[in-house]
Amino acid sequence: MRVRRISGIGSTVAASAALLLAAGACGGAEMGGGDGGDGGGGETITIGVKYDQPGLGLDEGEKPVGFDVDVATYIAGELGFEPDQIEWTEAASANRETFLQQGTVDMVIATYSITDERKELVDFGGPYYVAQQDILVAADNDDIKGPEDLDGKVLCSASGSRSANNITEDMGIGAELREAGNYSECIELLSNGTVDAVSTDNTILAGFAAQSPGDFKMVNAPFGEEKYGVGLPKGDTERCEAVNEAVTKMWDEGKTVEYLETAFGETDFAFSEEQPEPEGCA
């Protein structure tokens, strides 16, 4: 059941955030911008998103599309960058920290769950959304109704994600893990019967289920929570604070729910409509 949307008036952060970005440039992208969201005229911001997750970040040729892409575009706008000043880069689960540490990207918005382990390597703004973990199975599979039913079953594990480990290690369930490069590969393995199930964020699973109606189904037994953060280079506190202001404004204006409706309105996924509590910046 969806929860009530919060409302209110957010603060405008474009001008101040753009100045902060100019002071905190990283990697090859030239950061910065002026009033009115012009990004300083010709400067760009490089954002890492997923390219293989329908509903969230999917490469459709000209540019990626999905909920995370919409969120990234909004935040970049509040930081002073027009859509045509965004340079999109594919950020797979396994290379998100590396991209931020090496300056390949300026931020990552790619179903990037905030964890204590990752906080040792990068900083996070947000969270901008809190997902829960669920399980995807073949449409005709009636044996798996929850995590406990994965005991003895083959579960796909995507490189760089801890979702499968949450089941085998944290919950102590004896599933057999089958490694894949990403969740698109996991879906292929599920489709051909190599694995019995795929488990990760319900947002990700809903997107894949909607892409192939009639082939898969979510068991709708959510557990745990995944706080989606905006990945930033370590120590970039000022930019983190600007991002948090942008996230709050995005929720206050109803834009986040609008993006969720666009991404998942045609599915049976009951997404949350309440802004998560900001974690704060170190």
Side-chain angles (χ1 to χ4, degrees), residues 54-66:
L56 292 158
L58 185 66
D59 183 10
E60 291 196 341
E62 186 174 342
K63 78 176 189 68
V65 297

Side-chain angles (χ1 to χ4, degrees), residues 8-115:
I9 303 298
S11 59
T12 301
V13 300
S16 60
L19 291 173
L20 293 174
L21 285 168
C26 74
E30 295 182 2
M31 302 293 294
D35 291 339
D38 63 1
E43 295 175 350
T44 61
I45 181 170
T46 303
I47 305 178
V49 296
K50 293 291 181 67
Y51 276 20
D52 68 326
Q53 292 180 349
L56 292 158
L58 185 66
D59 183 10
E60 291 196 341
E62 186 174 342
K63 78 176 189 68
V65 297
F67 173 63
D68 278 352
V69 179
D70 289 339
V71 169
T73 302
Y74 183 95
I75 292 174
E78 291 300 302
L79 298 179
F81 296 90
E82 297 292 339
D84 62 1
Q85 292 175 290
I86 301 173
E87 295 184 354
W88 301 104
T89 296
E90 182 177 13
S93 297
N95 61 25
R96 291 174 296 198
E97 288 88 17
T98 303
F99 276 10
L100 287 168
Q101 290 172 321
Q102 294 180 347
T104 304
V105 298
D106 299 302
M107 64 178 63
V108 171
I109 302 179
T111 58
Y112 199 7
S113 298
I114 301 172
T115 67

Side-chain angles (χ1 to χ4, degrees), residues 54 132-141 144-147 150 153-156 167 183-184 186-191 195-223 268:
Q132 289 185 285
Q133 190 167 339
D134 211 321
I135 302 166
L136 190 74
V137 297
D140 60 356
N141 185 323
I144 299 174
K145 297 180 174 63
L150 292 171
K153 300 293 195 299
V154 182
L155 175 66
C156 191
I167 293 171
Y183 282 109
S184 289
C186 280
I187 297 302
E188 291 180 13
L189 296 175
L190 179 61
S191 179
V195 302
D196 298 304
V198 179
S199 182
T200 187
D201 308 352
N202 49 11
T203 51
I204 298 173
L205 299 180
F208 281 119
Q211 190 181 47
S212 302
D215 293 337
F216 312 111
K217 67 179 179 182
M218 292 174 63
V219 302
N220 288 313
F223 55 98
D268 59 357

